[in-house]
Amino acid sequence: MSTRDRFFRSLVAGLFAGVFCVDAALAQDAGCTFKPVAGTSRQILKCRQGIAIIVEGGARFTLVDRDRNGNADAVRLRRKALLLDAPAGSVPGGFAVVTPQAIAATRGTKWAVDVGQGKTSVFVLRGRVAVNRPASSAGVVLSPGEGVDVEAGTGPLTVKRWPAKRVSALLARFGQ
């Protein structure tokens, strides 16, 4: 395992350790503002530290401020999809998306997380994203063009290069 892979796996483990300890009231503002996308059901969430999140219409999520500094550093996603752009250095320690099936954590990247039909799908457009199940330290690190589908269970996660048709369908949900 490379040093980079060990870093991302330790990042995921560290992020998971603190995600559920946050007071919900403190996460409500988390330094972000919503802007509707005209003519669509999508919104763009802009955060002070430079993170941009395109929110699919009907998505159910909660912003999380784990270190209580007034800035979002994680999202709990329960339904639908988010497209995230977190510039390098925007969140010390990285930014995470926590779903019922997976934790996706990163630094300086652009990626999508989709929750539905008993699984979480993660796809990377830029950078690298570490993905694992909440109850496991074993996971994978995705590079651009790669994705993983995470279902409940304990089996190994399989990284795949997603076909253009699947990528286009996902990005179309965000007007991309």
Side-chain angles (χ1 to χ4, degrees):
M1 181 182 324
S2 73
T3 302
R4 181 175 244 169
D5 288 346
R6 279 193 302 276
F7 164 77
F8 278 107
R9 287 190 181 168
S10 66
L11 174 65
V12 168
L15 288 170
F16 180 66
V19 166
F20 295 102
C21 298
V22 175
D23 200 42
L26 294 174
Q28 292 305 311
D29 173 33
C32 302
T33 58
F34 284 99
K35 295 183 181 183
V37 177
T40 74
S41 61
R42 292 184 304 274
Q43 296 183 49
I44 297 177
L45 187 60
K46 297 269 188 175
C47 300
R48 281 192 291 252
Q49 63 273 56
I51 296 171
I53 303 171
I54 300 176
V55 179
E56 180 181 21
R60 299 277 184 221
F61 67 97
T62 305
L63 293 172
V64 180
D65 178 7
R66 294 177 313 231
D67 59 8
R68 300 174 188 227
N69 69 354
N71 294 316
D73 47 26
V75 172
R76 282 190 201 109
L77 178 62
R78 294 176 299 284
R79 191 177 110 194
K80 296 273 190 158
L82 304 174
L83 179 64
L84 303 101
D85 192 349
S90 58
V91 178
F95 194 88
V97 178
V98 179
T99 74
Q101 297 84 18
I103 300 170
T106 187
R107 282 187 177 182
T109 191
K110 185 173 185 179
W111 80 107
V113 180
D114 183 18
V115 176
Q117 300 178 357
K119 73 177 179 181
T120 294
S121 299
V122 180
F123 179 75
V124 176
L125 292 136
R126 182 182 71 241
R128 293 169 57 95
V129 175
V131 180
N132 71 305
R133 288 186 175 93
S136 172
S137 61
V140 297
V141 178
L142 304 175
S143 296
E146 295 178 339
V148 65
D149 295 310
V150 183
E151 296 179 287
T154 59
L157 300 179
T158 304
V159 175
K160 295 181 180 177
R161 182 151 299 278
W162 282 15
K165 185 175 180 178
R166 184 173 182 187
V167 173
S168 295
L170 177 63
L171 294 179
R173 292 163 60 187
F174 302 105
Q176 305 278 307

